[in-house]
Amino acid sequence: MDIYNSRRLSGTTTQIMDCTGVYAFLVEGEEKAVLIDTCTGVGDLKGYVEKLTDKPLSVILTHGHCDHAGGAAPFGKVYLNDADLKLVQYHAGMDMKMDYARFCNPEVCGAMSEEDFCPVRTRGYSSLRDGQRFDLGGVTLEAIQVPGHTKGMTCILNIEERTILFGDACNNGLFIWAEEATTIEEYLESLISLKKHEQRYDTVYMSHGDVTVDKRVLDGSIEVCREVMDGKADGQPFDFMEHHLLMAKKTNEKGERADGGIGNLVYDPKKVFRERT
C-alpha cells in the first residue's frame, strides 16, 4: 500500500490522503502554493508534495493535533494559531504520532518504527491569525478561527473558488471533550460566528471521511449544541479508549444520525458550560 495518494478536487485544490485516512490539501495559485495540514507524519510527505507542484510552498496547520501537524517537520514556513502552540508540542510528538497511526491502520502501521516517520518539528511556527489572507496569485485563502475541537482550530476559505475547509471545525462526529477543547457553550458561539461567512462558500471540505459534505452540517451542529445545553440531546454512550463520553444524537450502525440529520458531536457532560465566577 502506498503511504500517500491524491486526487484533484478542483482547478486549484488537490486532496492528499495518508495511510491513516486523514487528508491534507494542496492549494495552488499562479505564483505560490499552500499545503493545508500535513497528515500524521508517516513516510515522506514533503517529497510527495514536491512531485505535485514546483511552486514556492508554505504550510498552514488547521490545528495542533498529530493527525494534522504530525508531518510538519520537513517544511520551512509553517503557520499555526498561537492558541495551539502548547498543544502541538506534545500532541505532534513521536509517541503520539506512532500510536495514532497504529490505531488507525494496524495492518500497515503496526510494524512501523520511528524511522518510518518524519522527525518531530523543532523549528518554530509562524502565527496564524483570524482573518489572515494568503495571496497565491489569482487564489486567495483566508483563515477563520473556530475554537471548539481545539482552541486554535482554524477553517480555510478559498475566496475566489467559494470553497471552505471545515476540517475538524464541525462534522458528523466531532470530538469536543479533551483538555484542549472548549466547552459546548463556547463552541456554539464559534459556530454562530462561522455562520456569518456562510454566503461566501458553496462547497465544504472535510479532513476525515467523505471529503465533501452538505453545507447544512453547520446548522445541524448549531442545533445539536443547543440541544446539549438545553438537556435535550439523546446522550448515546460513546466510549473512546478509557474515556466514557456521550454522542449528542443517536446513530445507526453506519455512524449516521438515526433521525436522518447531519452534524453531530461527542462530548463530556461535565464540559458543557463555561465556568462562572
Side-chain angles (χ1 to χ4, degrees), residues 136-182:
L136 309 184
V139 176
T140 310
L141 303 182
E142 181 178 328
I144 302 172
Q145 189 177 356
V146 187
H149 182 60
T150 73
K151 294 178 177 65
M153 179 70 223
T154 302
C155 295
I156 305 297
L157 175 71
N158 187 326
I159 295 175
E160 290 82 5
E161 200 164 73
R162 294 184 58 81
T163 61
I164 190 169
L165 172 60
F166 274 8
D168 290 353
C170 71
N171 55 41
N172 288 314
L174 184 73
F175 278 21
I176 183 164
W177 51 267
E179 180 182 356
E180 62 269 18
T182 68

Side-chain angles (χ1 to χ4, degrees), residues 212-226:
T212 58
V213 68
D214 192 309
K215 63 187 295 184
R216 291 178 300 132
V217 70
L218 177 56
D219 286 333
S221 298
I222 289 172
E223 174 192 19
V224 167
C225 286
R226 287 173 171 155

